[in-house]
């Protein structure tokens, strides 16, 4: 529209919807698909197809699962989980030999955090298939305890379990086998609406460290209130000490003055 400019306007190229004939080559039942953009979403479930150019010849489309990227995500999850648990244990420990304790030893928030993280691993997803309903069923589980050999009071060799920080391990082959056999059921373990591990983990993390009324937020608020209380207490004690200091100075000055008067009287008598 040229408006009041008296300029002539003409269309150089009119935008048109993209048209794609979808089906097998020579198939009379092929479907004609139109799109206002050059992107087709969910024509094949779970895929996005980008259209780049026009072609009168049939184009073969191959869709395959990128199992390597999924495996990498599972490995990253296990690595991040183990790293977080190590950090938690580094601030919550007690050495019975040296009696050394960490700054957060016995803290109830740390205890709650550890329990919540462990529940992620053992959680059973309601409504998922019986074969794949928790992480251990796809190869993510706690590593077994280590063992050390020792001699008992009778001189016999015994194997003893060594208590260490529980760590997750990932059985890549078990995961790949499960995904190859039942990809939809494995995916549902994470994506099932409201009850899948994706939503469950998100809810747990929000409960632990979310911006609202989370465990960490409540704990930080409590610590902040304690700091304010201690600050007021310190200010009150400083005022009390200052008043006591001034009273002692006054008593000292009064005693000095009394001694001076006694010395003056003694000089007068002598």
């Amino acid at each position: 529209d040229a408006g009041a400019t008296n300029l002539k306007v003409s269309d150089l190229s009119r935008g048109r919807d993209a048209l794609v004939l979808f089906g097998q080559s020579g198939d009379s039942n092929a479907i004609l698909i139109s799109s206002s953009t050059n992107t087709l979403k969910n024509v094949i479930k779970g895929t996005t197809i980008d259209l780049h150019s026009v072609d009168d010849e049939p184009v073969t489309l191959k869709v395959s699962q990128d199992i390597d990227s999924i495996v990498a995500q599972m490995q990253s999850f296990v690595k991040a989980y183990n790293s977080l648990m190590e950090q938690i244990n580094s601030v919550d420990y007690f050495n019975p030999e040296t009696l050394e304790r960490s700054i957060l030893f016995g803290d109830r928030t740390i205890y709650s955090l550890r329990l919540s993280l462990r529940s992620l691993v053992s959680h059973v997803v309601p409504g998922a298939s019986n074969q794949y309903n928790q992480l251990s069923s796809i190869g993510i589980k706690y590593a077994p305890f280590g063992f050390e050999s020792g001699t008992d009071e009778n001189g016999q060799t015994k194997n003893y379990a060594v208590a260490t920080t529980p760590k997750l391990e990932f059985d890549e082959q078990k995961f790949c086998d499960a995904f190859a056999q039942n990809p939809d059921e494995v995916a549902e373990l994470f994506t099932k609406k409201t009850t899948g591990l994706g939503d469950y983990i998100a809810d747990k993390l929000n409960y632990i460290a979310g911006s609202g009324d989370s465990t960490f937020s409540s704990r930080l608020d409590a610590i902040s209130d304690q700091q304010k209380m201690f600050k007021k207490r310190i200010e009150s004690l400083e005022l009390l000490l200052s008043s006591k200091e001034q009273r002692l100075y006054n008593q000292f000055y009064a005693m000095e003055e009394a001694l001076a008067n006694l010395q003056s009287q003694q000089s007068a008598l002598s």
Side-chain angles (χ1 to χ4, degrees):
D1 184 5
T5 62
N6 294 322
L7 296 176
K8 294 182 178 181
V9 179
S10 61
D11 293 333
L12 297 178
S13 178
R14 185 180 297 274
R16 291 177 295 178
D17 289 349
L19 298 176
V20 177
L21 195 62
F22 185 76
Q24 295 182 359
S25 178
D27 187 357
S28 60
N29 294 321
I31 301 173
L32 183 62
I33 301 172
S34 66
S35 174
S36 59
T37 67
N38 289 328
T39 300
L40 305 178
K41 294 184 177 180
N42 287 320
V43 173
I44 302 174
K45 184 179 178 181
T47 64
T48 298
I49 302 173
D50 293 325
L51 306 176
H52 297 285
S53 62
V54 177
D55 198 331
D56 294 331
E57 297 297 323
V59 176
T60 301
L61 183 65
K62 294 182 179 180
V63 179
S64 60
Q65 296 170 336
D66 187 5
I67 188 67
D68 291 338
S69 66
I70 300 175
V71 168
Q73 291 177 14
M74 296 296 102
Q75 291 172 335
S76 296
F77 170 78
V78 170
K79 183 178 180 181
Y81 182 94
N82 289 337
S83 176
L84 179 56
M85 292 300 286
E86 287 178 359
Q87 292 181 41
I88 292 173
N89 290 325
S90 70
V91 297
D92 182 27
Y93 69 87
F94 174 73
N95 189 325
E97 296 180 357
T98 63
L99 301 183
E100 179 186 5
R101 64 176 62 194
S102 63
I103 188 171
L104 294 177
F105 175 70
D107 184 87
R108 67 179 184 275
T109 303
I110 295 297
Y111 177 76
S112 175
L113 173 59
R114 185 182 283 110
L115 288 181
S116 295
L117 291 174
R118 288 177 178 173
S119 72
L120 299 181
V121 182
S122 59
H123 178 67
V124 176
V125 176
S129 71
N130 293 330
Q131 187 175 7
Y132 304 110
N133 58 6
Q134 60 184 138
L135 287 176
S136 61
S137 63
I138 59 170
I140 298 178
K141 62 180 181 178
Y142 281 116
F145 285 120
F147 289 89
E148 290 183 356
S149 297
T151 304
D152 62 13
E153 63 275 7
N154 298 321
Q156 295 181 343
T157 301
K158 297 286 186 179
N159 291 326
Y160 300 93
V162 179
T164 57
T165 301
K167 289 188 176 182
L168 287 184
E169 62 179 11
F170 176 52
D171 187 339
E172 181 178 339
Q173 188 59 52
K174 183 174 182 178
F175 175 81
C176 290
D177 290 344
F179 195 82
Q181 295 172 9
N182 297 285
D184 291 339
E185 291 184 4
V186 173
E188 188 182 44
L189 176 63
F190 295 92
T191 61
K192 190 172 182 61
K193 189 175 181 180
T194 69
T195 61
L197 282 175
D199 287 340
Y200 180 79
I201 291 174
D203 291 342
K204 274 289 184 182
L205 293 179
N206 187 61
Y207 171 78
I208 295 170
S211 58
D213 188 21
S214 63
T215 302
F216 274 14
S217 178
S218 299
R219 182 60 171 153
L220 289 174
D221 289 343
I223 292 174
S224 178
D225 292 340
Q226 284 183 335
Q227 287 178 327
K228 293 177 181 177
M229 181 186 69
F230 290 149
K231 184 178 180 181
K232 290 181 179 179
R233 181 60 175 164
I234 290 172
E235 292 174 350
S236 176
L237 288 174
E238 287 178 342
L239 184 62
L240 180 63
L241 289 173
S242 177
S243 176
K244 187 173 183 179
E245 180 185 32
Q246 187 61 48
R247 186 169 67 252
L248 291 174
Y249 274 125
N250 292 338
Q251 290 175 351
F252 177 78
Y253 295 146
M255 184 179 64
E256 285 287 314
E257 185 177 358
L259 287 173
N261 291 333
L262 287 174
Q263 289 175 348
S264 176
Q265 292 178 4
Q266 182 181 8
S267 298
L269 292 173
S270 61

